[in-house]
Amino acid sequence: MALTTSTTAYFSSFNGPSSGTSLPSSPFSLKFPPFWPWQKVKIGPLSVSPMGFGTWAWGNQLLWGYQQSMDDELQKTFNLAVENGINLFDTADSYGTGRLDGQSERLLGKFIKEFQGKKRVQDDIVIATKFAAYPWRLTPNQFVKACRASLDRIQIEQIGIGQLHWSTANYAPLQEQALWDGLVAMYDKGLVRGVGVSNYGPKQLVKIYDYLKARGVPLVSAQVQFSLLSMGEDQLEIKNVCDSLGIRLIAYSPLGLGMLTGKYTPENLPRGPRAFLFRQILPGLAPLLGSIREIAQRRRKTIPQVAINWCICKGTIPIPGVKTVKQAEENLGALRWQLSSNELFQLESAATESPTKMIQNIFQTR
């Protein structure tokens, strides 16, 4: 779990006075991991790194510009993450566009199989995949079939966390019980070690928790959009519900699709569909981005590292998406240090003052 030499040098350049023991750049010195083994967190029966990596972009051509020529870089990114202790990878059976449907799962399976490190490290990898609530998935058995298909694509015997990708309560409430019974069936058949949900609001989250508990199935995780851009009442209520019921909150889009990286401005927008959203939101983010930048400079961190660390300090497991080794290295720099209470207050005050917020996922329920 030791850092590679190049990664160590990278972290050394960002290591501030508050981040603990400094990271030496000499190849003859001790190399420190981005987090210690006792800093792993529990998701039900699973022990995972305090941050995972998301793989939405792996196969998505429309939003993230995926090309199969990127696969070598993605594999290097995966290897770097695993070598540095990251063992949680989030995916979905719907990640991938058109003929590349399921590509994210296939790539993860390939990368796990070809990983050259210790088998113990390989076996420690936790895959959290999500099953789409497609309108033709109307019975528990259809969700079991979907789970087996994911197992085949990932080439593993058991999925770490099997998650419902979204609830149908808003538009097809009669389908909802089939989704829930599908989770029960996956768990009872031993296809998954734990079950979770994604895009469930606080009220629906309590309902499925009670439903599963009555059938002997613990709900171990709830995945929602959670960041300094998504501090709405619903998100904070979801966090409170998770804390009270012992559900681990997994924070997707901790960088607001890239708006909290500091890379983009109203004059410098990303290509593709994200540009429309960024054009609406970025002009109102000056107070928040200014506060993040100020803390980043003081801590000798980067803007993304501060934004991700905020999610960790709030007791969530952030899963920033990664496409390159450079992104993975930078995200790893969000670990092994902690924002102070005053800095958390400063960031949250700035987030409240910013007139624009992230648009909520249309599939999230109440």
Side-chain angles (χ1 to χ4, degrees), residues 54-76:
T55 63
W56 180 17
W58 300 12
N60 188 299
Q61 295 174 312
L62 177 65
L63 195 64
W64 300 107
Y66 168 79
Q67 299 295 329
Q68 286 179 286
S69 59
M70 299 176 178
D71 288 356
D72 285 346
E73 178 73 5
L74 292 176
Q75 185 159 21
K76 291 174 184 175

